[in-house]
Amino acid sequence: MPSPATGNDAGLADPLLPRGDGTGRAGASSKNKYRYWVPAADDKEVLAAEERGGEDGRPLLYRTFKVRGILLHPYRLINLARLIVIIQFFIWRMRHRDSDSIALWWITVVGDFWFGVSWLLNQASKVNPIRRVPNLALLNQQFDPPGGGGGGSSSSQLPGVDVFINTVDPVDEPVLCTMNSVLSILATDYPVDRHATYFSDDGGSLVHYEALLETARFAALWAPFCRKHRVEPRAPESYFAATADGPYAGDAPGQFVDDRRHVRREYEEFRERLAALFTIIPQRSEAYERESTKRDGARATYMADGSHWPGTWMEPAENHKKGQHAAIVQVMLNHPGDEPQLGAPASSDSPLDLSAVDVRLPMLVYIAREKRPGYDHQKKAGAMNVQLRVSALLSNAPFIINFDGDHYINNSAAFRAAMCFMLDGRHGEDTAFVQFPQRFDDVDPTDRYCNHNRVFFDATALGLNGLQGPSYVGTGCMFRRAALYGADPPRWQPDDFSKLLDNPWRQFGNSMPFINSVPLATHQERPVAPPASLDGRLTAELTDVSTCAYEDGTEWGYGVGWVYNIATEDVVTGFRIHRKGWRSMYCAMEPDAFRGTAPINLTERLYQILRWSGGSLDMFFSRNCPLLAGRRLHPMQRVAYTNMTVYPISAAFIFVYDLLPLMWLSGAEFYIQKPFPTYVVYLFAGIAMMEVSGMVEIRWAGLTLLDWCRNEQFYMIGATGVYPAAVLHSLLRLVGLKGLPFKLTSKPQSASGGEAKERFAELYEVQWAPLLVPTVVVIAVNVAAIGAAAGRVATGGWSLAQIAGAAGGLLFNAWVLLLLYPFALGIMGRWSKRPYLLFVLLVAALAAIASAYVALLAVLAPGFVPPFRLGRWSGVGAIISPASWRF
């Protein structure tokens, strides 16, 4: 990719398309996606302010766009019309309390009311979608001009960034994937001396530690190669798996092919070394164990220097197992210093000519926090709070960006794009975090289980962007450190840090070096300047802030840092920050800023949804309930958070509706609401208007019809199996019980584009679990209902008028089955590679059920089923009566 543009007008040719090179160029498909967006009303004022240098001399580093009125006004009008229809529908139902079961009537009234409320909560946050586009060229001109050595010299004025990356298990989260994430960070396009990486290994594994050492060595070749040739993406696994390179953007085209070949060969050897760690470490430990004269019965895990590994051993032992080991903080790569360091020319030992390339690497730190029995270690939130304290003692950058171990930087200009919002002259000081969308590799082409979740990231998030900002979704998010410390935004409390330090030990714990670092976190101009060396005192301090007991009696996990005691610590942490009055921004780039892996197995995906939905309900029934927030939370932001936390409740009513087709199995007529035709008209009118609104929404959001269908389908899959479990979990928690255990999601084992068949193998694996049972029951009930209805029609049990009246119910059955189609494919396993088999199976099941239904009626109610003719067959002419059948 080309280097960041430096001209004043660069990046404005097509400002809706913020590419990694800052030029704003994009393909025709991307331009088509954004054709319904126009500059906001104040855009001319913004451009004029840019010419003056911004407000108060600060630059205006992003532009704002809104949806064209030709789509936005009809979208709002349709939603208003549907709201009127919903209100009229409830008025009509309350005036016509007539049903064959008044109890069921009340259930459906409450259910319809809840569906109306949840729809209104969902739509209310999307009436004013806003897209904000960073101006990378202007950022570079103002803070990192090319003459100053944008690669990382001391003249760069970009603020410091601390990068947090988290992982737990080198098997469930493949170590190669995690190390690719680290490599993409070390090679990203941001001043080398102004960002540091903190790697949290929450399992305390020696595999991760030695893999990080190998990664640091390989990065000495990989990062300079990326800078010299400006390649994208900068995760080698994804880069080498790409089928074709884009236009060359580096400074040495004649050397590119040879350099690439050499680096690829070195990368293959690097991969082999990582894979060999799982064999080398046990073999080494066994060899040292044989030589050791001190045996205590436990087989230790040894480091390369022959010392015991202080973390988790491969054979668990006291003080060396998961949940019980010492704290480890190790600086793998020291701070590189302020001045560029050019590499060596090509030689026999090093074929790459790096004589014009800065070969420095950013600071890299390994962290494994202490684990002790009897402590709740708070999973990912606890690990990130330790990273927050350790980083404050070393680099203390004013901004922090966090990644899951399976996410890598896909666009090396991502950090700069986030800075456009943090440093902007309008709302920069009041912006607490910038959230990027989640994008994934290794998802099947049809996105069967809606892993991309584009309706949320490309529609709902833009609606939230027009309010107080998007919610925090756990990864790919840049924070202002001060906001994580619990500070108020400047517009509400300009001198808030003085208030924070009134009782610092209660807030932050007893580490004076950490407390002294807190006020410095607001100084954006301060360079990242870690201590020159790790003396004994600083090492002891780093270990102390990584211990279990450090947080006892403090505000960590409540008013400071990431929030504890909830499965969705990401959403709650973002909510706590919004509740204080901070803003957030949404930033979508092309190419995507970050990419990761997602579970493509049905059961793993359902467990992921269970964790999210259960945590959301826990949030609603906690002190972080959006309804209890103060006046600093924007009213519509409160509505949006309420919708995010109560949506699983819909499952109770959806499950009842999905089982209503059981009434077709009875012999008598049954009506939920009378007059039934009017009821059906209201239902279909409301559903039709909702779908039309959805069609308009996918137009302005740039989505496809498949994106929208997958969203609808997986919502129904979740509502029939996962959300009921989430509701049960919350009910158990409310009465003081433990609730359901949440299973961590396993990641795909390969990220290589050359292993597509193996990669998608998990899509066709069937892992039976209790979560699958309710949805299987719903499918069986609806198939049985259609089959029974077909049997009644075949035997003449219904008149034409009754058939017409039942058509609406049968359409509902078919609609439910269509929405559950991905689930049905999932439980077919490898047979789902031939989807037509599912339809053959469905037809066979319907025929069998219809025949069984007719036969059952013939035995139990022979007078109910009239004779019917098979046809005018020559020599037969028979009339067969079911009453004459024998079993």
Side-chain angles (χ1 to χ4, degrees), residues 3-126:
S3 61
T6 58
N8 247 344
D9 297 327
L12 300 180
D14 193 341
L16 280 174
L17 306 168
R19 297 184 61 87
D21 56 9
T23 64
R25 293 190 297 272
S29 60
S30 298
K31 291 184 178 180
N32 187 59
K33 176 179 178 179
Y34 301 126
R35 68 183 184 276
Y36 293 111
W37 293 83
V38 295
D42 61 345
D43 198 57
K44 291 183 178 179
E45 298 178 8
V46 171
L47 292 177
E50 286 178 351
E51 294 178 358
R52 297 192 304 268
E55 300 176 3
D56 301 327
R58 292 174 296 173
L60 304 181
L61 299 174
Y62 67 83
R63 293 181 62 184
T64 305
F65 296 82
K66 64 179 183 179
V67 179
R68 291 180 183 271
I70 194 173
L71 276 186
L72 185 61
H73 298 325
Y75 179 69
R76 292 172 173 172
L77 185 61
I78 293 169
N79 288 328
L80 178 61
R82 188 172 191 268
L83 178 61
I84 294 172
V85 169
I86 289 174
I87 294 173
Q88 181 60 35
F89 174 58
F90 285 113
I91 294 174
W92 177 82
R93 289 206 72 179
M94 297 307 296
R95 290 177 178 174
H96 298 79
R97 304 184 186 185
D98 190 6
S99 171
D100 290 331
S101 171
I102 196 64
L104 191 58
W105 181 88
W106 275 110
I107 291 175
T108 59
V109 166
V110 175
D112 289 343
F113 176 78
W114 178 256
F115 293 146
V117 170
S118 61
W119 170 82
L120 184 60
L121 292 176
N122 184 56
Q123 293 302 122
S125 61
K126 293 190 283 189

Side-chain angles (χ1 to χ4, degrees), residues 704-820:
T704 65
L705 185 60
L706 180 61
D707 293 330
W708 177 78
C709 289
R710 288 296 188 238
N711 184 76
E712 296 287 298
Q713 288 174 325
F714 210 77
Y715 178 81
M716 180 62 77
I717 292 171
T720 53
V722 178
Y723 299 163
V727 173
L728 174 62
H729 163 79
S730 292
L731 290 176
L732 292 174
R733 297 254 303 186
L734 283 175
V735 298
L737 300 178
K738 189 175 181 180
L740 302 179
F742 292 144
K743 179 180 180 294
L744 292 179
T745 307
S746 298
K747 304 299 182 182
Q749 295 298 308
S750 172
S752 172
E755 301 174 358
K757 290 184 179 179
E758 181 182 351
R759 185 171 71 234
F760 293 137
E762 297 180 20
L763 184 69
Y764 306 109
E765 293 178 1
V766 182
Q767 301 175 11
W768 287 101
L771 280 180
L772 303 179
V773 175
T775 311
V776 171
V777 171
V778 168
I779 291 176
V781 165
N782 282 271
V783 170
I786 296 176
R792 295 186 70 178
V793 172
T795 59
W798 275 343
S799 65
L800 290 177
Q802 289 174 318
I803 293 174
L810 293 174
L811 283 175
F812 175 79
N813 301 144
W815 178 62
V816 170
L817 292 177
L818 182 63
L819 291 178
L820 297 179

Side-chain angles (χ1 to χ4, degrees), residues 550-584:
Y550 181 82
E551 297 179 351
D552 291 349
T554 69
E555 285 295 310
W556 285 101
Y558 300 95
V560 178
W562 278 266
V563 177
Y564 289 165
N565 297 318
I566 195 164
T568 50
E569 78 288 330
D570 47 5
V571 176
V572 182
T573 300
F575 168 75
R576 178 177 64 80
I577 292 173
H578 278 140
R579 185 172 59 185
K580 282 185 165 288
W582 289 95
R583 298 178 58 89
S584 62

